[in-house]
Amino acid sequence: MRHLMPMILLTGLSGCLAYDYGTAVPYHRHTEPAFAVAVPANAPPIAQQFRPPAERGAPGHMGLDVATTKGTPVLAAAPGVVTQSFSEPAYGNRVIIEHGKDSSGLRIQTLYFHLDTRLVSEGQRVARGQQIGTLGETGLLSSYPHLHFEYHRETARGARIRSGKNWWQGIEQRDPNAYWVNGPGRVTCYTGQSAPADKITYPVACR
Ligand SMILES: [Zn+2]
């Protein structure tokens, strides 16, 4: 633990300092597909992109990190029902929202880690763009204020339901950049628009 800390801290700082509103870090060079990501000038930066697990067991990064000031509103990326809202040591305050099915009948859910505060409870229905918490750095796996955001799709019809409360079973973690309301790679701030529930708006408030 003692030896890991400086490395974790440096990673966090580079994510914070190098990118400002309206920017995104490049994809890891071996990540395919890699989207051309356009971030609106008023949107907090993407400090880490999705990266599938490499062969030979290297861990991936199964979502997006959005880095900005602690306390910034975190928003539901699409309408749905809160299926999990709790705190645990590793990822801190977390919320999971189930959004129903996409056009091929596969259930979709989104996940929000490291929240400073949670403003929703399990079973609660939320609208697109509704505030569900505030951005933070809770949990041992966070070393600077950011939201770790994931987009999950069922591996087969009904797989998610059969897995019960186990959020990681019956799903695959997909690159969120594929599912923005305005199209792949086109980060879409929430501005009151409506869209299909499997298409997402930015999970952090834009300016
Ligand atoms: Zn992350």
Side-chain angles (χ1 to χ4, degrees):
M1 201 60 193
R2 180 175 292 239
H3 298 292
L4 278 175
M5 285 309 284
M7 197 177 72
I8 292 170
L9 200 63
L10 274 177
T11 306
L13 285 176
S14 67
C16 272
L17 297 177
Y19 300 94
D20 202 352
Y21 269 60
T23 62
V25 296
Y27 277 87
H28 190 270
R29 67 185 189 279
H30 297 307
T31 299
E32 295 290 343
F35 295 92
V37 179
V39 182
N42 61 339
I46 296 175
Q48 194 176 170
Q49 296 285 8
F50 182 89
R51 186 180 70 251
E55 290 177 36
R56 303 175 196 276
H61 182 245
M62 306 312 284
L64 296 180
D65 287 347
V66 179
T68 187
T69 318
K70 178 176 164 181
T72 298
V74 171
L75 312 180
V81 175
V82 176
T83 54
Q84 295 198 8
S85 176
F86 65 91
S87 177
E88 49 79 32
Y91 295 98
N93 276 312
R94 69 164 62 169
V95 168
I96 297 182
I97 302 173
E98 181 128 356
H99 303 293
K101 299 171 182 174
D102 69 5
S103 57
S104 55
L106 298 173
R107 286 180 178 274
I108 303 298
Q109 65 183 12
T110 53
L111 172 153
Y112 311 75
F113 275 168
H114 308 309
L115 301 177
D116 191 50
T117 59
R118 289 174 288 113
L119 301 176
V120 291
S121 49
E122 293 175 11
Q124 186 176 339
R125 180 164 290 279
V126 292
R128 180 186 299 282
Q130 180 176 335
Q131 184 174 359
I132 59 170
T134 53
L135 186 140
E137 52 182 319
T138 58
L140 293 169
L141 295 175
S142 177
S143 58
Y144 69 106
H146 74 282
L147 172 70
H148 176 89
F149 171 71
E150 296 186 2
Y151 185 99
H152 301 162
R153 190 175 73 182
E154 271 185 321
T155 51
R157 288 188 197 187
R160 176 74 196 92
I161 291 299
R162 287 193 293 275
S163 70
K165 291 283 281 181
N166 300 323
W167 66 266
W168 66 94
Q169 292 179 353
I171 60 105
E172 57 177 345
Q173 293 146 304
R174 311 278 300 180
D175 186 344
N177 279 314
Y179 302 101
W180 300 119
V181 165
N182 288 350
R186 300 175 61 85
V187 171
T188 310
C189 289
Y190 175 71
T191 56
Q193 69 272 61
S194 56
D198 62 321
K199 296 296 187 291
I200 52 174
T201 42
Y202 214 40
V204 175
C206 297
R207 280 172 172 157

